[in-house]
Amino acid sequence: MKHTCYCVTEHSAPLQRMENETPEPKGAEVLIKMTAAGVCHSDIHIWEGVYDLGSGNKMTLKDRGITLPLTMGHEIAGTVVKAGPDANVKPGTSVVVYPWLGCGECPTCKRGDENLCTVKTRSMGVFMAGGYAEYVLVPHARYCIDLGSLDPASSAPLACSGITTYSALKKFGAKIAEEPVVIIGAGGLGHMALTVLKAMGGKGGIVVDIDAAKRKAALEAGALSVIDGSAPDAAKQIIDATGGGALCVLDLVGGGNTIGLGVAGLKKGGDIVVVGLYGGEIKLPTVYFPLRGMGVRGSYVGTLPELKELVALAQKGALKPIKVTRRNLSEASDAVYDLKAGKVVGRVVLVP
Ligand SMILES: [Zn+2]
Ligand SMILES: [Zn+2]
């Protein structure tokens, strides 16, 4: 049996419709029929094939071991159609897939941080076939999380934007309940961050973005206030809005200037968690770290247990379903181009 998928066959070129052999699940593998596949901003980097490291340096995705053709899509929901003999999951179950796979054997993976595996990264939709397809093979049943009656289209993004923001916000610890988090970037991740922050019992988010339409959408999504990141006094506005400087800055853009803005708007004892892959570099006075008791750290997606926690929050009704725009799988290429062109507010999810 063959099935249709939309694949990157050449970087920065339109995705190509391909007919691939539908795999037969072996061992603990699971075959799912895609019910929803989110189009994520990091798909743009994969599609273009490069990360910007600043000073004209680039890291190519080929250096990270990505080979073409590739079926992208790492925010995958589906219905189990066939389970291998060792897979403990019933056909018909509606699942969301944890896509950030490592080797599964090394100390990092055993610790539960499979997303940071140092031996072999096998992330779905990045290093192996992902969700822009009618059928998807999941390498092990443990990566399939039962959605119950949750809507697949609004749940698929939990696998990336959901756990990315959840894992990043968890890194601020109890501080999120004390003071608002300054969220830089009001795209899909920014909306998710506001929703997840609320579900976690956070005080709320102050959203920074250079785009007026996105700031307006952030206010509608529940931001306490918004700030134009391109304003010359943006840092002062952050200090004023937080009543003396931010304790927590979540940088969903990750550009040199956005981290710089975060540092300028931070108060003593504050932390910046960088998630965005916009790229660039930063230059900081090193004494800021001790004298301000400042922390700058990164966070990369999240762990399998974190995705389970997040799905549980959604099932309890604590996590408001995010608004998604559904597009047919056949429009996968257009969806990527539209996201690249900055025409997307919120989240696009491909559906069969
Ligand atoms: Zn993603
Ligand atoms: Zn590993």
Side-chain angles (χ1 to χ4, degrees):
M1 192 179 91
K2 288 196 182 261
H3 68 273
T4 303
C5 44
Y6 289 82
C7 308
V8 182
T9 53
E10 192 188 327
H11 288 299
S12 296
L15 305 189
Q16 297 295 317
R17 183 195 158 122
M18 291 176 74
E19 296 293 322
N20 282 3
E21 201 60 47
T22 309
E24 190 67 24
K26 300 184 292 285
E29 292 173 348
V30 178
L31 183 70
I32 62 168
K33 186 173 192 306
M34 186 274 276
T35 50
V39 180
C40 173
H41 203 272
S42 60
D43 286 335
I44 302 290
H45 296 287
I46 299 163
W47 172 62
E48 292 183 325
V50 285
Y51 289 106
D52 182 359
L53 299 180
S55 299
N57 297 313
K58 306 224 183 275
M59 174 169 75
T60 70
L61 275 287
K62 217 171 150 198
D63 296 339
R64 284 188 66 201
I66 288 175
T67 51
L68 302 182
L70 170 73
T71 310
M72 296 197 298
H74 50 266
E75 300 184 347
I76 315 160
T79 306
V80 175
V81 285
K82 205 164 189 187
D86 307 323
N88 187 22
V89 58
K90 280 200 186 72
T93 310
S94 171
V95 300
V96 62
V97 177
Y98 177 78
W100 310 110
L101 316 189
C103 71
E105 305 291 333
C106 73
T108 306
C109 285
K110 286 257 155 71
R111 194 171 71 213
D113 293 333
E114 215 170 313
N115 52 317
L116 299 175
C117 175
T118 54
V119 178
K120 190 170 170 55
T121 327
R122 300 184 298 154
S123 300
M124 295 177 68
V126 186
F127 298 97
M128 58 168 100
Y132 293 10
E134 288 177 304
Y135 289 89
V136 185
L137 186 74
V138 184
H140 196 288
R142 70 169 179 267
Y143 303 122
C144 292
I145 299 162
D146 193 339
L147 281 176
S149 59
L150 290 175
D151 170 43
S154 51
S155 304
L158 296 180
C160 180
S161 54
I163 51 167
T164 296
T165 49
Y166 181 65
S167 186
L169 288 166
K170 270 180 87 168
K171 292 180 171 75
F172 293 119
K175 286 176 179 172
I176 59 166
E178 290 173 36
E179 288 188 28
V181 176
V182 171
I183 299 168
I184 304 180
L189 270 186
H191 281 238
M192 187 61 102
L194 285 170
T195 306
V196 170
L197 181 59
K198 189 160 187 212
M200 292 169 79
K203 213 147 190 183
I206 294 169
V207 175
V208 181
D209 202 288
I210 56 173
D211 184 316
K214 288 184 178 164
R215 288 198 298 276
K216 186 167 170 274
L219 275 178
E220 285 160 9
L224 299 174
S225 62
V226 290
I227 291 167
D228 179 358
S230 64
D233 66 341
K236 187 179 174 297
Q237 287 189 48
I238 291 175
I239 292 166
D240 290 345
T242 50
L247 194 55
C248 310
V249 174
L250 176 59
D251 187 350
L252 302 173
V253 179
N257 57 347
T258 57
I259 298 176
L261 178 62
V263 170
L266 209 63
K267 81 165 158 195
K268 281 189 177 178
D271 291 308
I272 300 177
V273 175
V274 183
V275 164
L277 288 165
Y278 183 83
E281 57 191 334
I282 50 172
K283 198 173 169 201
L284 286 180
T286 54
V287 293
Y288 278 12
F289 289 95
L291 293 182
R292 295 184 175 187
M294 178 180 84
V296 180
R297 66 161 301 174
S299 186
Y300 177 66
V301 296
T303 65
L304 176 59
E306 284 170 343
L307 183 55
K308 288 180 181 168
E309 288 167 25
L310 202 53
V311 169
L313 277 176
Q315 280 167 340
K316 266 198 340 202
L319 189 71
K320 201 172 105 225
I322 59 152
K323 253 210 238 145
V324 294
T325 306
R326 291 170 172 78
R327 292 185 77 166
N328 191 270
L329 174 62
S330 60
E331 297 170 58
S333 196
D334 294 341
V336 169
Y337 275 87
D338 287 350
L339 187 61
K340 166 74 184 168
K343 287 187 206 158
V344 173
V345 178
R347 206 80 183 159
V348 169
V349 175
L350 302 173
V351 293

